[in-house]
């Protein structure tokens, strides 16, 4: 099943986010190699195509065997352990489009 993982950043998270980003992306690439990542990316604080003004959080939609597995994965994300995320929500997701 797919699960949406939404992380909300602490204020002024960009320095910690940049430091933890390589480890965060490495974990995601491992799941991507398994064909489990539907989408992953940050929410920029400004209406811009980059994150130079900062980031308010992230959205990940990933396939896991269960909600418990998705939560366990999210709880050990480098952005969590580095203090980038103030809050993380994990919930089931049903993809409708694109088909």
């Amino acid at each position: 099943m797919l699960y949406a993982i939404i992380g909300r950043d602490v204020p002024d998270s960009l320095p910690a986010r940049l430091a933890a980003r390589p480890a965060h992306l490495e974990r995601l690439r491992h799941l991507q190699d398994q064909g489990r990542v539907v989408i992953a990316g940050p929410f920029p604080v400004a209406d811009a195509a980059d994150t130079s003004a900062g980031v308010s959080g992230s959205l990940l939609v990933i396939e896991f065997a269960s909600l418990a597995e998705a939560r366990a994965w999210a709880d050990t994300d480098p952005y969590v352990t580095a203090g980038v995320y103030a809050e993380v929500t994990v919930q089931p997701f049903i993809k409708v489009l694109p088909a």
Side-chain angles (χ1 to χ4, degrees):
M1 170 138 207
L2 295 177
Y3 294 89
I5 301 170
I6 302 169
R8 298 287 180 195
D9 284 26
V10 298
D12 303 314
S13 64
L14 196 54
R17 180 179 266 273
L18 292 174
R21 188 170 192 261
H24 171 76
L25 291 178
E26 181 178 332
R27 290 180 84 226
L28 284 169
R29 286 190 182 107
H30 177 71
L31 295 179
Q32 180 181 342
D33 290 346
Q34 297 173 14
R36 295 169 54 188
V37 176
V38 174
I39 193 167
F43 298 119
V45 296
D47 189 9
D50 65 26
T51 61
S52 60
V55 175
S56 65
S58 302
L59 168 65
L60 312 171
V61 177
I62 303 172
E63 182 181 346
F64 289 98
S66 67
L67 179 58
E69 182 184 326
R71 283 190 176 139
W73 186 91
D75 287 346
T76 57
D77 188 89
Y79 285 171
V80 170
T81 58
V84 173
Y85 290 152
E87 170 187 17
V88 177
T89 303
V90 181
Q91 59 191 64
F93 180 81
I94 297 173
K95 180 182 169 198
V96 175
L97 294 173

